[in-house]
Amino acid sequence: MAAEISDRPITPAQVKAVHVALHRLGIEDADYRAMLKDWNVSTCKDLTRRQASDLIARLGRPLANPPGSRPKPAAKRRISNPAETPPAEDGDGVIRLATNAQRNLIHGLAGEIAWESEDGFRRWLARSLGLDRVRTRDDATRAIQGLKGLKAHGHAKEELE
């Protein structure tokens, strides 16, 4: 009988996604190796598919893209209904700040994630999105999509308990 998909070895696309995320985030090799110790391996090639997915999610790769594909540049991403929330900057150079609805949604989603530390959301925001806080509508959209991705990949409080 074939092994469960989650027990199978990491795919080449996942290996590539890990290394692209490491490069994009500027993570040092020593820090990367320390992360791998969570799974008692020294190289990502020794991970299972599920472990690799967890690592990729931790690194903050946009989850809407399949492993190995290139993430879209953040500045070009738009939400599904632009009429609902205009982009952060129109052609006129005006920066659109995050709306209260977006901030409330971020706060609610962040409260549903089982963070590893008290400042987990702040650290995730910095590590995954390169932000010290959410300012613009594009920042908010990226944070919302990332938090939804974390929930979808089993990081919600109720799923971990």
Side-chain angles (χ1 to χ4, degrees), residues 4 19 27 37 94:
E4 291 283 327
H19 289 287
I27 295 177
K37 287 183 181 179
V94 175

Side-chain angles (χ1 to χ4, degrees), residues 74-78 86-89 96 102 136-143:
K76 292 184 180 178
R77 280 205 208 149
R78 297 291 180 239
E89 180 177 339
R96 306 284 184 231
Q102 286 177 312
T136 67
R137 291 184 182 171
D138 280 349
D139 293 346
T141 298
R142 291 173 53 214

Side-chain angles (χ1 to χ4, degrees), residues 53-54 57-58 112-115 149-160:
S53 290
D54 290 344
R58 237 189 241 187
E112 296 174 17
I113 303 295
W115 301 106
L150 286 174
K151 279 186 63 179
H153 280 79
H155 295 279
K157 286 181 182 175
E158 62 271 8
E159 293 175 11
L160 296 175

Side-chain angles (χ1 to χ4, degrees), residues 33-98:
R33 302 293 173 190
M35 292 171 80
L36 291 175
K37 287 183 181 179
D38 290 348
W39 294 283
N40 297 318
V41 297
S42 59
T43 175
C44 71
K45 292 178 182 176
D46 294 332
L47 294 172
T48 65
R49 290 181 186 190
R50 172 160 293 159
Q51 292 168 334
S53 290
D54 290 344
L55 176 59
I56 292 166
R58 237 189 241 187
L59 293 172
R61 180 186 52 76
L63 299 171
N65 297 318
S69 69
R70 290 182 165 223
K72 294 178 184 176
K76 292 184 180 178
R77 280 205 208 149
R78 297 291 180 239
I79 57 173
S80 59
N81 185 355
E84 216 173 311
T85 306
E89 180 177 339
D90 289 343
D92 58 5
V94 175
I95 303 294
R96 306 284 184 231
L97 298 179

Side-chain angles (χ1 to χ4, degrees), residues 102-123:
Q102 286 177 312
R103 291 184 184 280
N104 290 339
L105 181 57
I106 290 168
H107 181 73
L109 288 168
E112 296 174 17
I113 303 295
W115 301 106
E116 294 179 4
S117 63
E118 283 186 26
D119 63 343
F121 172 72
R122 184 190 57 76
R123 293 174 69 187

